[in-house]
Amino acid sequence: MDLVSDLKGELGGKFETLIVALMTPPITYDVTSLRNAIKGAGTDEKVLVEILASRTPQQVKDIIAAYRQEYDDDLEEDVSGDTSGHFKRLLVILLQANRQRGIQEGDIENDAQALFKAGEHKFGTDEQSFVTILGNRSAEHLRKVFDAYMKLSGYEMEESIQRETSGSLRDLLLAVVKCARSVPGYFAETLYYSMKGAGTDDNTLIRVMASRSEVDMLDIRAEFRKKFACSLYSMIKGDTGGDFRKTLLLLCGGDDA
């Protein structure tokens, strides 16, 4: 790790943050990001949402083990101590990393009905049903539930969550739904909104580009091109500068113009 310390002295700014992120092993990077999100000034919910909604159950188990080894602390306890309400409940379910496998054919219709009754169909919202179903079912099962929900209610799952919930819980539910549909699709959107509008959310841009560069960057680029009127490459190019831009463009790879 001496090279990292040397670099830290030499570089500075967001370019340094990006290079250090790239030189950190993926699990260690997730663990450090989570620790800083919990132990920093205030809780960085965005980081908790992004990592815990998108990682596989096995990755979550590895993160928990590495977190204990690194800090001699229990990640679930630290997250619980720093969050509250249904937001906390869903984070804890995701940390259990016990999603069902496969598709439970018999439950698809019931799950869609339960979500409809919990939200659109009643005054006020029964958040617990959203938390339980979205936190425990497999991605492929949830995709079927979303189709059934659409037929039943006339709404996409995301539209109902937007309307029926708020705050950090809403952000987490939306992330879980988007990741069930497509993890690369979720990250394409995350990258787009980190750069769209005034100012760039450099931390999110760095985190996603560094952590996905060797995982699913080609898929993210393809999803980005499908969803938005430009390529990921051209958006990075137009939104960043200097060595920071050069490195991000190398991580991105080609331009899907």
Side-chain angles (χ1 to χ4, degrees):
M1 286 305 273
D2 289 339
L3 178 57
V4 173
S5 336
D6 289 352
L7 283 170
K8 276 187 161 168
E10 293 299 318
L11 300 174
K14 53 195 175 192
F15 179 52
E16 174 191 300
T17 309
L18 175 59
I19 296 298
V20 171
L22 289 169
M23 296 185 71
T24 308
I27 291 284
T28 310
Y29 185 62
D30 280 351
V31 163
T32 313
S33 300
L34 288 167
R35 180 72 169 189
N36 294 339
I38 297 164
K39 297 294 181 188
T43 308
D44 190 342
E45 281 95 357
K46 190 182 278 186
V47 175
L48 298 180
V49 166
E50 184 194 294
I51 294 177
L52 296 178
S54 67
R55 302 305 189 253
T56 65
Q58 189 53 55
Q59 284 171 327
V60 171
K61 287 177 178 154
D62 294 345
I63 286 167
I64 290 168
Y67 188 93
R68 183 180 291 286
Q69 198 178 350
E70 183 66 30
Y71 302 111
D72 199 23
D73 277 332
D74 183 303
L75 179 57
E76 189 186 309
E77 278 176 24
D78 284 356
V79 167
S80 295
D82 221 46
T83 55
S84 61
H86 291 286
F87 178 58
K88 169 169 94 173
R89 289 202 183 104
L90 183 48
L91 288 172
V92 168
I93 289 175
L94 296 174
L95 283 165
Q96 308 282 321
N98 281 333
R99 274 191 189 280
Q100 293 169 345
R101 304 223 165 146
I103 298 168
Q104 273 68 38
E105 290 294 345
D107 288 337
I108 295 168
E109 204 51 50
N110 295 343
D111 285 350
Q113 289 277 1
L115 290 168
F116 183 57
K117 290 196 177 100
E120 296 291 350
H121 202 57
K122 72 190 290 269
F123 185 73
T125 307
D126 165 20
E127 286 98 351
Q128 190 57 47
S129 296
F130 282 88
V131 165
T132 305
I133 293 169
L134 296 176
N136 287 302
R137 308 284 191 265
S138 71
E140 53 271 49
H141 179 86
L142 286 173
R143 289 195 290 273
K144 300 255 187 202
V145 172
F146 302 156
D147 291 344
Y149 183 85
M150 179 75 192
K151 286 201 184 89
L152 186 69
S153 68
Y155 296 114
E156 292 288 8
M157 196 70 245
E158 291 91 330
E159 294 177 81
S160 291
I161 290 169
Q162 282 282 12
R163 261 206 307 280
E164 298 291 327
T165 60
S166 62
S168 301
L169 176 64
R170 175 201 278 169
D171 296 340
L172 182 56
L173 289 168
L174 284 173
V176 167
V177 169
K178 285 170 182 172
C179 287
R181 290 194 193 275
S182 158
V183 170
Y186 167 70
F187 281 117
E189 282 189 32
T190 304
L191 285 167
Y192 179 79
Y193 289 109
S194 76
M195 292 182 279
K196 186 185 180 319
T200 302
D201 177 354
D202 290 318
N203 289 334
T204 297
L205 181 57
I206 289 167
R207 213 172 36 248
V208 176
M209 293 301 289
S211 62
R212 307 312 289 187
S213 62
E214 292 181 8
V215 183
D216 50 7
M217 189 54 70
L218 280 172
D219 298 326
I220 290 171
R221 274 168 45 189
E223 287 286 339
F224 196 98
R225 197 71 196 81
K226 254 193 325 211
K227 287 174 187 285
F228 307 110
C230 60
S231 65
L232 177 58
Y233 190 96
S234 65
M235 194 160 185
I236 291 170
K237 199 172 171 184
D239 212 65
T240 57
D243 291 331
F244 183 56
R245 173 206 273 166
K246 275 188 208 148
T247 312
L248 288 170
L249 292 176
L250 282 171
L251 293 174
C252 177
D255 185 2
D256 312 285

